[in-house]
Amino acid sequence: MDMTRRPRRLRTDGVRPLVRETDLAASDLIAPVFVDATTDERVPIETMPGHERVPVSEAVARVEEIRETGVEAVMLFGVPESKDDRGSRAWAEDGVVQEATRRITAETDAYVITDICLCEYTDHGHCGVLEDDAAEDPTLTVRNDETLELLADIAVSHARAGADMVAPSGMIDGMVGAIRGALDEDGHTEVPIMSYAAKFESAFYGPFRDAADGAPAFGDRRHYQMDPANAREARREVDLDVQQGADVLMVKPALPYLDIVAQVRDHHDHPVAAYNVSGEYAMLHAAAEKGWLDLESVAYESLLSIKRAGADLILTYFAEDVADRL
């Protein structure tokens, strides 16, 4: 037996950290923040232990808590005080995300990214303007081109409020191009777009819909979010967003789609982001509560695997806990 090659030589305590191929840092992480215009106090999210909806008045304090752990960036999601069939509160000047953004950017050094979508703002919970027969006999459920105009309005309203980056998440064809054009026309040429370029219709989103009050009132989102079976389609989707001017490319969810993260990393030189979603967070918490897993260890290992697959940025509900460990 040829024992010339012994990989274990590089696993001793002294050399092991020197040859580590992947590093995870607090600066790689983005922490989601849920701002709720319907409450005056923090409201725990039952399906996401450790997370809360916070009122606008608490948004700055919540972000300061995150910053203390070393995490520098936050993603804002809003729960509006009222909803309608077009989600008009999403682009209101005094909307929940707009007001929270103004306060956070004025009082902290956090890098503020805002979610650009309509599901939290529409009374039907879908990500755009509905087809006439969407509830009974949908073809594509959401009217694509009419929705683009609304997404552009949302992005401009967030940029005017001071958002550092906007992140369209609805998987509407042409959304990046429409938003880029609207931002540039309004003078926000410096505001980058982090596109949810490959967002799958996943069963891992359940707890988020509780957190953001954005579950569909009927049907599902199969007509605009991607089929989990399709990898080649993901590459086409990402290519289109690159052509339209996306600055950062997001894959969502993360753990069941590490192959897609790696594929995007291999084929593009853009920064790659991955969303470690609510279901991935909740299932580890549930297992840890049963005593089956050590939460701190599996959380760190999960995020390390996402980074190893090629993500530069990770949006995760574990951001604060893992940053504390780091």
PDB file of all heavy atoms in Angstrom, residues 251-271:
ATOM      1  N   VAL A 251     -29.919  33.537  -5.114  1.00  0.00           N
ATOM      2  CA  VAL A 251     -30.569  32.233  -5.233  1.00  0.00           C
ATOM      3  C   VAL A 251     -31.376  32.009  -3.962  1.00  0.00           C
ATOM      4  O   VAL A 251     -30.876  32.208  -2.854  1.00  0.00           O
ATOM      5  CB  VAL A 251     -29.542  31.098  -5.416  1.00  0.00           C
ATOM      6  CG1 VAL A 251     -30.240  29.738  -5.446  1.00  0.00           C
ATOM      7  CG2 VAL A 251     -28.731  31.310  -6.698  1.00  0.00           C
ATOM      8  N   LYS A 252     -32.620  31.575  -4.107  1.00  0.00           N
ATOM      9  CA  LYS A 252     -33.503  31.344  -2.964  1.00  0.00           C
ATOM     10  C   LYS A 252     -34.378  30.129  -3.247  1.00  0.00           C
ATOM     11  O   LYS A 252     -34.998  30.078  -4.305  1.00  0.00           O
ATOM     12  CB  LYS A 252     -34.372  32.576  -2.721  1.00  0.00           C
ATOM     13  CG  LYS A 252     -35.326  32.446  -1.538  1.00  0.00           C
ATOM     14  CD  LYS A 252     -36.183  33.692  -1.370  1.00  0.00           C
ATOM     15  CE  LYS A 252     -37.127  33.545  -0.187  1.00  0.00           C
ATOM     16  NZ  LYS A 252     -38.015  34.728  -0.021  1.00  0.00           N
ATOM     17  N   PRO A 253     -34.456  29.176  -2.277  1.00  0.00           N
ATOM     18  CA  PRO A 253     -33.720  29.033  -1.018  1.00  0.00           C
ATOM     19  C   PRO A 253     -32.246  28.685  -1.254  1.00  0.00           C
ATOM     20  O   PRO A 253     -31.798  28.576  -2.393  1.00  0.00           O
ATOM     21  CB  PRO A 253     -34.437  27.874  -0.314  1.00  0.00           C
ATOM     22  CG  PRO A 253     -35.758  27.735  -0.980  1.00  0.00           C
ATOM     23  CD  PRO A 253     -35.497  28.149  -2.406  1.00  0.00           C
ATOM     24  N   ALA A 254     -31.542  28.458  -0.135  1.00  0.00           N
ATOM     25  CA  ALA A 254     -30.110  28.188  -0.223  1.00  0.00           C
ATOM     26  C   ALA A 254     -29.788  26.700  -0.137  1.00  0.00           C
ATOM     27  O   ALA A 254     -29.313  26.098  -1.105  1.00  0.00           O
ATOM     28  CB  ALA A 254     -29.363  28.954   0.865  1.00  0.00           C
ATOM     29  N   LEU A 255     -30.031  26.074   1.001  1.00  0.00           N
ATOM     30  CA  LEU A 255     -29.521  24.721   1.249  1.00  0.00           C
ATOM     31  C   LEU A 255     -30.008  23.671   0.247  1.00  0.00           C
ATOM     32  O   LEU A 255     -29.206  22.861  -0.219  1.00  0.00           O
ATOM     33  CB  LEU A 255     -29.843  24.288   2.679  1.00  0.00           C
ATOM     34  CG  LEU A 255     -29.126  25.082   3.778  1.00  0.00           C
ATOM     35  CD1 LEU A 255     -29.596  24.631   5.147  1.00  0.00           C
ATOM     36  CD2 LEU A 255     -27.617  24.927   3.659  1.00  0.00           C
ATOM     37  N   PRO A 256     -31.299  23.638  -0.138  1.00  0.00           N
ATOM     38  CA  PRO A 256     -31.697  22.628  -1.122  1.00  0.00           C
ATOM     39  C   PRO A 256     -31.242  22.959  -2.547  1.00  0.00           C
ATOM     40  O   PRO A 256     -31.447  22.151  -3.459  1.00  0.00           O
ATOM     41  CB  PRO A 256     -33.234  22.643  -1.045  1.00  0.00           C
ATOM     42  CG  PRO A 256     -33.571  23.379   0.197  1.00  0.00           C
ATOM     43  CD  PRO A 256     -32.454  24.349   0.396  1.00  0.00           C
ATOM     44  N   TYR A 257     -30.639  24.144  -2.729  1.00  0.00           N
ATOM     45  CA  TYR A 257     -30.274  24.603  -4.070  1.00  0.00           C
ATOM     46  C   TYR A 257     -28.807  25.018  -4.143  1.00  0.00           C
ATOM     47  O   TYR A 257     -28.435  25.923  -4.892  1.00  0.00           O
ATOM     48  CB  TYR A 257     -31.194  25.765  -4.481  1.00  0.00           C
ATOM     49  CG  TYR A 257     -32.635  25.329  -4.528  1.00  0.00           C
ATOM     50  CD1 TYR A 257     -33.445  25.437  -3.405  1.00  0.00           C
ATOM     51  CD2 TYR A 257     -33.173  24.761  -5.679  1.00  0.00           C
ATOM     52  CE1 TYR A 257     -34.760  24.997  -3.421  1.00  0.00           C
ATOM     53  CE2 TYR A 257     -34.484  24.322  -5.703  1.00  0.00           C
ATOM     54  CZ  TYR A 257     -35.275  24.439  -4.572  1.00  0.00           C
ATOM     55  OH  TYR A 257     -36.581  23.989  -4.604  1.00  0.00           O
ATOM     56  N   LEU A 258     -27.951  24.338  -3.383  1.00  0.00           N
ATOM     57  CA  LEU A 258     -26.530  24.668  -3.424  1.00  0.00           C
ATOM     58  C   LEU A 258     -25.937  24.410  -4.799  1.00  0.00           C
ATOM     59  O   LEU A 258     -24.956  25.063  -5.191  1.00  0.00           O
ATOM     60  CB  LEU A 258     -25.774  23.872  -2.358  1.00  0.00           C
ATOM     61  CG  LEU A 258     -26.091  24.219  -0.902  1.00  0.00           C
ATOM     62  CD1 LEU A 258     -25.241  23.365   0.040  1.00  0.00           C
ATOM     63  CD2 LEU A 258     -25.877  25.698  -0.616  1.00  0.00           C
ATOM     64  N   ASP A 259     -26.506  23.472  -5.542  1.00  0.00           N
ATOM     65  CA  ASP A 259     -26.034  23.248  -6.911  1.00  0.00           C
ATOM     66  C   ASP A 259     -26.280  24.477  -7.780  1.00  0.00           C
ATOM     67  O   ASP A 259     -25.454  24.821  -8.643  1.00  0.00           O
ATOM     68  CB  ASP A 259     -26.700  22.017  -7.526  1.00  0.00           C
ATOM     69  CG  ASP A 259     -28.217  22.125  -7.606  1.00  0.00           C
ATOM     70  OD1 ASP A 259     -28.837  22.633  -6.643  1.00  0.00           O
ATOM     71  OD2 ASP A 259     -28.792  21.692  -8.631  1.00  0.00           O
ATOM     72  N   ILE A 260     -27.394  25.165  -7.542  1.00  0.00           N
ATOM     73  CA  ILE A 260     -27.690  26.373  -8.309  1.00  0.00           C
ATOM     74  C   ILE A 260     -26.744  27.501  -7.903  1.00  0.00           C
ATOM     75  O   ILE A 260     -26.253  28.251  -8.745  1.00  0.00           O
ATOM     76  CB  ILE A 260     -29.157  26.803  -8.106  1.00  0.00           C
ATOM     77  CG1 ILE A 260     -30.113  25.628  -8.379  1.00  0.00           C
ATOM     78  CG2 ILE A 260     -29.488  27.989  -8.996  1.00  0.00           C
ATOM     79  CD1 ILE A 260     -30.027  25.069  -9.776  1.00  0.00           C
ATOM     80  N   VAL A 261     -26.477  27.624  -6.607  1.00  0.00           N
ATOM     81  CA  VAL A 261     -25.511  28.615  -6.139  1.00  0.00           C
ATOM     82  C   VAL A 261     -24.163  28.398  -6.821  1.00  0.00           C
ATOM     83  O   VAL A 261     -23.537  29.337  -7.330  1.00  0.00           O
ATOM     84  CB  VAL A 261     -25.353  28.551  -4.605  1.00  0.00           C
ATOM     85  CG1 VAL A 261     -24.243  29.502  -4.138  1.00  0.00           C
ATOM     86  CG2 VAL A 261     -26.662  28.886  -3.900  1.00  0.00           C
ATOM     87  N   ALA A 262     -23.715  27.140  -6.847  1.00  0.00           N
ATOM     88  CA  ALA A 262     -22.427  26.830  -7.474  1.00  0.00           C
ATOM     89  C   ALA A 262     -22.450  27.115  -8.971  1.00  0.00           C
ATOM     90  O   ALA A 262     -21.465  27.613  -9.546  1.00  0.00           O
ATOM     91  CB  ALA A 262     -22.074  25.361  -7.221  1.00  0.00           C
ATOM     92  N   GLN A 263     -23.567  26.819  -9.605  1.00  0.00           N
ATOM     93  CA  GLN A 263     -23.700  27.061 -11.038  1.00  0.00           C
ATOM     94  C   GLN A 263     -23.612  28.556 -11.347  1.00  0.00           C
ATOM     95  O   GLN A 263     -22.930  28.973 -12.295  1.00  0.00           O
ATOM     96  CB  GLN A 263     -25.049  26.509 -11.508  1.00  0.00           C
ATOM     97  CG  GLN A 263     -25.406  26.798 -12.946  1.00  0.00           C
ATOM     98  CD  GLN A 263     -26.755  26.190 -13.313  1.00  0.00           C
ATOM     99  OE1 GLN A 263     -26.881  24.982 -13.450  1.00  0.00           O
ATOM    100  NE2 GLN A 263     -27.767  27.022 -13.458  1.00  0.00           N
ATOM    101  N   VAL A 264     -24.310  29.375 -10.561  1.00  0.00           N
ATOM    102  CA  VAL A 264     -24.265  30.822 -10.772  1.00  0.00           C
ATOM    103  C   VAL A 264     -22.850  31.344 -10.544  1.00  0.00           C
ATOM    104  O   VAL A 264     -22.336  32.175 -11.304  1.00  0.00           O
ATOM    105  CB  VAL A 264     -25.271  31.535  -9.848  1.00  0.00           C
ATOM    106  CG1 VAL A 264     -25.148  33.055  -9.993  1.00  0.00           C
ATOM    107  CG2 VAL A 264     -26.697  31.095 -10.177  1.00  0.00           C
ATOM    108  N   ARG A 265     -22.188  30.836  -9.493  1.00  0.00           N
ATOM    109  CA  ARG A 265     -20.814  31.257  -9.209  1.00  0.00           C
ATOM    110  C   ARG A 265     -19.881  30.913 -10.377  1.00  0.00           C
ATOM    111  O   ARG A 265     -19.005  31.701 -10.758  1.00  0.00           O
ATOM    112  CB  ARG A 265     -20.329  30.561  -7.931  1.00  0.00           C
ATOM    113  CG  ARG A 265     -18.868  30.726  -7.564  1.00  0.00           C
ATOM    114  CD  ARG A 265     -18.540  32.112  -7.031  1.00  0.00           C
ATOM    115  NE  ARG A 265     -18.612  33.150  -8.058  1.00  0.00           N
ATOM    116  CZ  ARG A 265     -19.065  34.386  -7.834  1.00  0.00           C
ATOM    117  NH1 ARG A 265     -19.476  34.756  -6.658  1.00  0.00           N
ATOM    118  NH2 ARG A 265     -19.097  35.259  -8.823  1.00  0.00           N
ATOM    119  N   ASP A 266     -20.064  29.724 -10.962  1.00  0.00           N
ATOM    120  CA  ASP A 266     -19.181  29.273 -12.034  1.00  0.00           C
ATOM    121  C   ASP A 266     -19.369  30.062 -13.323  1.00  0.00           C
ATOM    122  O   ASP A 266     -18.420  30.242 -14.089  1.00  0.00           O
ATOM    123  CB  ASP A 266     -19.415  27.785 -12.320  1.00  0.00           C
ATOM    124  CG  ASP A 266     -18.866  26.885 -11.234  1.00  0.00           C
ATOM    125  OD1 ASP A 266     -18.064  27.362 -10.408  1.00  0.00           O
ATOM    126  OD2 ASP A 266     -19.246  25.697 -11.196  1.00  0.00           O
ATOM    127  N   HIS A 267     -20.591  30.544 -13.569  1.00  0.00           N
ATOM    128  CA  HIS A 267     -20.892  31.137 -14.867  1.00  0.00           C
ATOM    129  C   HIS A 267     -20.921  32.664 -14.872  1.00  0.00           C
ATOM    130  O   HIS A 267     -21.035  33.266 -15.942  1.00  0.00           O
ATOM    131  CB  HIS A 267     -22.225  30.597 -15.394  1.00  0.00           C
ATOM    132  CG  HIS A 267     -22.163  29.166 -15.819  1.00  0.00           C
ATOM    133  ND1 HIS A 267     -22.497  28.117 -14.978  1.00  0.00           N
ATOM    134  CD2 HIS A 267     -21.781  28.596 -16.986  1.00  0.00           C
ATOM    135  CE1 HIS A 267     -22.335  26.965 -15.627  1.00  0.00           C
ATOM    136  NE2 HIS A 267     -21.898  27.231 -16.836  1.00  0.00           N
ATOM    137  N   HIS A 268     -20.833  33.286 -13.696  1.00  0.00           N
ATOM    138  CA  HIS A 268     -20.914  34.748 -13.647  1.00  0.00           C
ATOM    139  C   HIS A 268     -19.878  35.302 -12.674  1.00  0.00           C
ATOM    140  O   HIS A 268     -19.561  34.675 -11.666  1.00  0.00           O
ATOM    141  CB  HIS A 268     -22.320  35.196 -13.224  1.00  0.00           C
ATOM    142  CG  HIS A 268     -23.380  34.811 -14.206  1.00  0.00           C
ATOM    143  ND1 HIS A 268     -23.620  35.520 -15.366  1.00  0.00           N
ATOM    144  CD2 HIS A 268     -24.266  33.766 -14.206  1.00  0.00           C
ATOM    145  CE1 HIS A 268     -24.605  34.937 -16.040  1.00  0.00           C
ATOM    146  NE2 HIS A 268     -25.000  33.875 -15.358  1.00  0.00           N
ATOM    147  N   ASP A 269     -19.392  36.492 -12.988  1.00  0.00           N
ATOM    148  CA  ASP A 269     -18.428  37.121 -12.097  1.00  0.00           C
ATOM    149  C   ASP A 269     -19.079  38.151 -11.181  1.00  0.00           C
ATOM    150  O   ASP A 269     -18.405  38.884 -10.466  1.00  0.00           O
ATOM    151  CB  ASP A 269     -17.286  37.764 -12.889  1.00  0.00           C
ATOM    152  CG  ASP A 269     -17.763  38.798 -13.904  1.00  0.00           C
ATOM    153  OD1 ASP A 269     -18.968  39.134 -13.902  1.00  0.00           O
ATOM    154  OD2 ASP A 269     -16.929  39.277 -14.699  1.00  0.00           O
ATOM    155  N   HIS A 270     -20.405  38.203 -11.169  1.00  0.00           N
ATOM    156  CA  HIS A 270     -21.127  39.080 -10.252  1.00  0.00           C
ATOM    157  C   HIS A 270     -21.051  38.528  -8.830  1.00  0.00           C
ATOM    158  O   HIS A 270     -20.885  37.327  -8.628  1.00  0.00           O
ATOM    159  CB  HIS A 270     -22.604  39.171 -10.653  1.00  0.00           C
ATOM    160  CG  HIS A 270     -22.869  39.954 -11.891  1.00  0.00           C
ATOM    161  ND1 HIS A 270     -22.283  39.666 -13.096  1.00  0.00           N
ATOM    162  CD2 HIS A 270     -23.667  41.032 -12.111  1.00  0.00           C
ATOM    163  CE1 HIS A 270     -22.709  40.525 -14.010  1.00  0.00           C
ATOM    164  NE2 HIS A 270     -23.548  41.360 -13.437  1.00  0.00           N
ATOM    165  N   PRO A 271     -21.238  39.386  -7.827  1.00  0.00           N
ATOM    166  CA  PRO A 271     -21.424  38.864  -6.474  1.00  0.00           C
ATOM    167  C   PRO A 271     -22.670  37.963  -6.433  1.00  0.00           C
ATOM    168  O   PRO A 271     -23.689  38.275  -7.041  1.00  0.00           O
ATOM    169  CB  PRO A 271     -21.631  40.124  -5.630  1.00  0.00           C
ATOM    170  CG  PRO A 271     -20.976  41.213  -6.407  1.00  0.00           C
ATOM    171  CD  PRO A 271     -21.197  40.865  -7.853  1.00  0.00           C
TER     172      PRO A 271
END
